[in-house]
Amino acid sequence: MCGIVGYIGNKKASPILINGLLKLEYRGYDSAGISTIEKTGLSTMKDKGRVKNLYNLPEIDNLEGTIGIAHTRWATHGKPSKENAHPHMDNTKTFSVVHNGIVENFNELKKLLCDNGYTFYSQTDTEIIPNLIDYYYKKETDNDDLKFLRAVKNACNSLKGSFALEIICKDYPDNMIVVRKDSPLVIGKGNGENYISSDIPAMLSYTKEFYLLNDLEYVVLSKDDAKFYNNNLEPINKEIKLIDWNASSAEKGEFEDYMLKEIYEQPKAIRETIGSRINKNSKCEFEELNFTKDYLQGLNKIYFVACGTAMHVGLAGKDMIEKLCKIPTEVDIASEFRYRDPLIDEKTLCIFISQSGETADTLAALKLSKECGAKTLAITNVIGSSITREADYSIYTHAGPEIAVASTKAYTSQVVLVAMLAIYFAETLELSAEKTTLLNSLKEELLVLPKKVQKTLETSTEIKNFAKRIYKEKDIFFLGRGIDETVAKEASLKLKEISYIHSDSYPAGELKHGPIALIENDVTVISIMTDHKLVKKTVSNIQEVISRGAKTLIVTNQQIDTDMFDMVIRIPETSTFISPILSIIPLQLLAYFTSKEKGLDVDKPRNLAKSVTVE
Ligand code: AGP
């Protein structure tokens, strides 16, 4: 949540900062601001609303400084307003700060500062930070080069919660300090310049060389240098990481919206995620993993822990691991898992799925699992993200940057990766010959999947027509059984987050136990049917809603009598284990076209942000 950008170099900072903010707007978009160091001291401009309000400010062109920090906000403390927008300055206007995260003890710190004569002008937790730095700065007796850094460090030591900070100081016009704790921040190395960002894609057009920071590492930046310090302020070395995403992968190109582009990128994302991990005649390989047969046989449980769409991937993973490996598997929402004393120990493998690798609850659940002795495995899309740096093992989807708030290509790539993981576990366990045949056919199915995804995208025109019929509705229901119910959940989340239509998903068989009371004339019911063992049962459930006047959309690869339904979308056949990868695609498109019909901002739905880095 919240996007952070910084620049220090020879160029005018403000256009680079605004450009970075525009690319990071998916992280938060209720207000934006910028601070630069000018010849006259610190200059700060901010406004409520989207970044375009900031760059439309006439004074913005007057900023000449070559050092600056900027922020696009997703409000936590205090409503979206100009006063609450970042950057925030201290009372003496010596420091300017942007902050991503939450200061949990801000009331205590505010009291300490108020008792010492400080005044506050916003409702944010952030405003205490520049004042706290000033408080410690004034206590410094040595006027040496590290005075600024010591004040920042002392302030950070007082903060509880999470933070990624950029700080500039009018007394140090050639420096910027950055630090993070449980909130993302990277430094991009340029030629005689440094870029700072909460997300790599925002800086890809400037550099591919990044420094990745660990918690409580401090960086003193100048245009030609980056000096790294640990929490004792001892100098440390940092290696540069080369990020091989290209800049165009973070641009919309010819597409109207990022979401549409990302839906259409799914064949490529899946192909690249499979990479060379699967071959027809050899075992599935994960060079990052070294699980043995003994270890897997000794497991009491596997846990998938994640949030939102990533958690829905876990549901598909449970089905695969239990059926292919016979290991009991549970799926939990990270924000619940961490507070319910989960039964885990050294015989539990906890798998954390997160596109961004930065989701606060998932990260906290991972730390808890490690404390309980479990082994931890991260599945993410972002190299070097916080979750990968905490986990014992990390495996990556290769979906490229996902910018739209609604996750699409990350979901399908994650299901592919989890399927390969299940195959790898099953092959390591050396189960029966019958299982080997099943695994081989599943591998063949995975290898042809990108083509089938391409074919499924051809349903777009029919789906667009259906969206025209439903976009004014208030409630929509998604039904499925078995693996199709997990897709119903994901489809329902996708529709509600970008079309603002209330939708719910249910196991089709559960309908008669309550939800059917909501079915009335002309209500839309959407059902997914890809499991031949369950299709007849689901058809019966749909007949029950048709009898009560519902209009129906069916996504299926099964032979069914199509006459009774309003629309049937045919998708290619594949193994039930991986059918979510195909069956979700028409429903991603349905969410997209419904949102477009309503004239909404598909990529930046209200109240949401791409990566949820606060609890
Ligand atoms: C997906 O469409 C959502 N925007 C959201 O549920 C997302 O999947 C969730 O916040 C988890 O994010 P992560 O994968 O980056 O951890």
Side-chain angles (χ1 to χ4, degrees):
M1 318 220 123
C2 304
I4 289 182
V5 187
Y7 175 76
I8 180 162
N10 288 315
K11 298 183 194 125
K12 191 166 150 156
S14 57
I16 296 170
L17 297 174
I18 298 282
N19 186 28
L21 287 186
L22 287 169
K23 290 197 173 136
L24 280 181
E25 242 189 338
Y26 59 87
R27 292 190 66 96
Y29 29 87
D30 57 44
S31 52
I34 178 171
S35 264
T36 54
I37 306 186
E38 300 295 311
K39 289 205 177 84
T40 48
L42 298 180
S43 180
T44 298
M45 291 176 195
K46 41 195 189 176
D47 210 348
K48 190 181 160 188
R50 296 281 168 102
V51 175
K52 71 173 181 325
N53 296 0
L54 181 69
Y55 74 67
N56 284 338
L57 293 175
E59 319 85 78
I60 206 108
D61 288 337
N62 303 337
L63 297 176
E64 294 296 335
T66 58
I67 300 180
I69 58 178
H71 190 263
T72 173
R73 181 169 183 249
W74 187 90
T76 56
H77 293 64
K79 62 180 191 306
S81 69
K82 187 171 171 178
E83 295 67 42
N84 290 335
H86 300 212
H88 287 282
M89 297 176 91
D90 68 300
N91 287 177
T92 62
K93 302 208 178 332
T94 306
F95 300 96
S96 187
V97 170
V98 298
H99 167 222
N100 187 5
I102 290 186
V103 181
E104 288 167 1
N105 56 338
F106 91 105
N107 277 327
E108 292 149 61
L109 294 172
K110 194 168 180 175
K111 183 169 180 318
L112 167 101
L113 291 165
C114 287
D115 290 348
N116 281 276
Y118 287 84
T119 309
F120 291 87
Y121 303 95
S122 76
Q123 295 126 30
T124 65
D125 53 341
T126 301
E127 200 186 356
I128 62 127
I129 300 173
N131 286 302
L132 200 59
I133 296 171
D134 180 65
Y135 171 78
Y136 285 110
Y137 193 67
K138 291 206 169 103
K139 285 185 183 290
E140 285 288 328
T141 46
D142 283 347
N143 226 347
D144 59 5
D145 282 356
L146 294 180
K147 181 177 168 186
F148 176 21
L149 178 60
R150 281 194 302 270
V152 171
K153 182 220 148 94
N154 285 329
C156 288
N157 280 358
S158 314
L159 301 178
K160 293 208 174 101
S162 58
F163 49 85
L165 299 173
E166 289 178 328
I167 309 131
I168 49 176
C169 169
K170 80 168 166 35
D171 299 343
Y172 288 78
D174 300 321
N175 292 131
M176 177 189 304
I177 293 181
V178 302
V179 55
R180 55 155 279 174
K181 181 178 165 274
D182 294 334
S183 196
L185 198 69
V186 294
I187 295 162
K189 186 183 174 319
N191 194 2
E193 54 194 356
N194 283 303
Y195 300 90
I196 303 93
S197 176
S198 40
D199 260 358
I200 290 169
M203 291 300 145
L204 282 176
S205 53
Y206 302 113
T207 182
K208 294 212 165 50
E209 296 184 340
F210 288 90
Y211 295 108
L212 307 175
L213 293 186
N214 291 322
D215 280 353
L216 292 174
E217 287 178 347
Y218 295 81
V219 195
V220 179
L221 293 161
S222 57
K223 63 184 162 99
D224 308 301
D225 203 7
K227 288 196 166 73
F228 296 89
Y229 298 87
N230 64 17
N231 198 25
N232 298 323
L233 297 193
E234 293 151 351
I236 50 170
N237 285 329
K238 260 286 138 189
E239 277 179 17
I240 287 181
K241 255 216 154 22
L242 204 66
I243 302 292
D244 66 356
W245 287 347
N246 61 38
S248 65
S249 61
E251 305 289 342
K252 259 193 276 192
E254 79 245 28
F255 288 90
E256 238 176 273
D257 304 278
Y258 279 109
M259 183 182 177
L260 193 63
K261 176 183 179 241
E262 288 158 8
I263 289 174
Y264 277 87
E265 279 176 344
Q266 291 180 106
K268 180 170 178 258
I270 290 170
R271 197 174 294 116
E272 299 202 346
T273 298
I274 294 172
S276 57
R277 282 162 173 154
I278 283 198
N279 288 301
K280 251 191 231 164
N281 302 316
S282 55
K283 286 191 171 177
C284 180
E285 280 183 36
F286 278 94
E287 59 189 28
E288 309 89 332
L289 307 179
N290 57 7
F291 294 120
T292 60
K293 183 176 177 180
D294 278 356
Y295 170 75
L296 292 172
Q297 272 177 338
L299 286 177
N300 54 18
K301 204 184 318 168
I302 288 180
Y303 251 113
F304 283 104
V305 184
C307 302
T309 288
M311 190 277 290
H312 297 154
V313 176
L315 296 172
K318 170 183 164 76
D319 188 62
M320 294 188 246
I321 290 188
E322 289 195 334
K323 290 200 177 118
L324 295 175
C325 314
K326 304 285 173 218
I327 302 174
T329 304
E330 284 193 43
V331 184
D332 216 340
I333 292 169
S335 55
E336 292 294 316
F337 176 86
R338 53 186 293 206
Y339 294 115
R340 69 174 184 83
D341 298 328
L343 295 175
I344 47 177
D345 56 28
E346 60 288 346
K347 289 193 169 168
T348 315
L349 172 64
C350 294
I351 304 177
F352 299 86
I353 308 173
S354 172
Q355 185 285 130
S356 61
E358 300 293 349
T359 300
D361 283 313
T362 311
L363 182 60
L366 192 160
K367 288 180 181 170
L368 171 78
S369 308
K370 279 173 81 174
E371 281 163 25
C372 297
K375 271 215 186 333
T376 56
L377 165 60
I379 294 182
T380 100
N381 193 35
V382 182
I383 295 172
S385 52
S386 303
I387 286 175
T388 65
R389 272 177 290 138
E390 284 289 336
D392 297 316
Y393 304 92
S394 297
I395 52 176
Y396 293 94
T397 47
H398 294 279
E402 192 181 65
I403 309 288
V405 165
S407 186
T408 53
K409 62 176 180 173
Y411 170 80
T412 46
S413 305
Q414 285 163 350
V415 178
V416 165
L417 197 59
V418 166
M420 292 193 292
L421 190 66
I423 295 172
Y424 163 79
F425 285 166
E427 288 179 336
T428 307
L429 282 164
E430 295 171 332
L431 301 167
S432 62
E434 187 197 333
K435 269 269 143 59
T436 309
T437 316
L438 173 64
L439 296 178
N440 285 342
S441 76
L442 190 52
K443 282 194 265 186
E444 283 177 27
E445 288 286 351
L446 279 164
L447 288 170
V448 294
L449 201 58
K451 279 200 186 124
K452 292 186 178 178
V453 171
Q454 197 67 53
K455 182 89 194 129
T456 311
L457 287 166
E458 290 171 14
T459 58
S460 157
T461 313
E462 291 165 276
I463 289 290
K464 191 173 180 178
N465 290 336
F466 196 74
K468 287 191 168 88
R469 291 172 63 182
I470 62 158
Y471 76 98
K472 288 189 181 151
E473 302 207 353
K474 294 248 175 316
D475 300 291
I476 292 184
F477 297 91
F478 289 86
L479 302 178
R481 281 173 180 258
I483 194 72
D484 295 327
E485 198 253 326
T486 73
V487 177
K489 281 194 165 65
E490 171 58 8
S492 171
L493 172 66
K494 214 90 305 174
L495 183 75
K496 63 168 80 89
E497 77 179 315
I498 61 166
S499 75
Y500 315 153
I501 296 175
H502 169 258
S503 73
D504 243 324
S505 67
Y506 293 101
E510 187 63 13
L511 206 64
K512 289 192 281 288
H513 301 280
I516 203 163
L518 298 168
I519 305 299
E520 55 185 347
N521 207 28
D522 221 27
V523 130
T524 298
V525 175
I526 297 172
S527 180
I528 305 108
M529 303 177 189
T530 67
D531 187 338
H532 70 278
K533 294 199 294 300
L534 300 172
V535 64
K536 285 200 179 116
K537 304 277 177 205
T538 313
V539 167
S540 303
N541 297 133
I542 302 303
Q543 271 166 333
E544 290 156 8
V545 298
I546 292 173
S547 322
R548 285 154 182 89
K551 68 171 172 296
T552 50
L553 169 72
I554 310 298
V555 175
T556 188
N557 54 16
Q558 300 295 304
Q559 295 312 317
I560 52 169
D561 174 7
T562 56
D563 291 350
M564 71 180 102
F565 308 112
D566 289 271
M567 186 177 278
V568 175
I569 297 290
R570 294 224 153 264
I571 58 169
E573 273 188 56
T574 191
S575 153
T576 317
F577 289 115
I578 54 173
S579 66
I581 298 160
L582 298 178
S583 55
I584 193 61
I585 288 171
L587 301 172
Q588 293 170 340
L589 287 164
L590 182 68
Y592 173 80
F593 287 122
T594 306
S595 176
K596 289 300 272 185
E597 283 298 326
K598 293 184 81 169
L600 301 173
D601 186 339
V602 174
D603 289 336
K604 299 187 195 81
R606 72 181 175 207
N607 304 337
L608 288 169
K610 182 66 181 167
S611 71
V612 184
T613 50
V614 292
E615 286 182 42

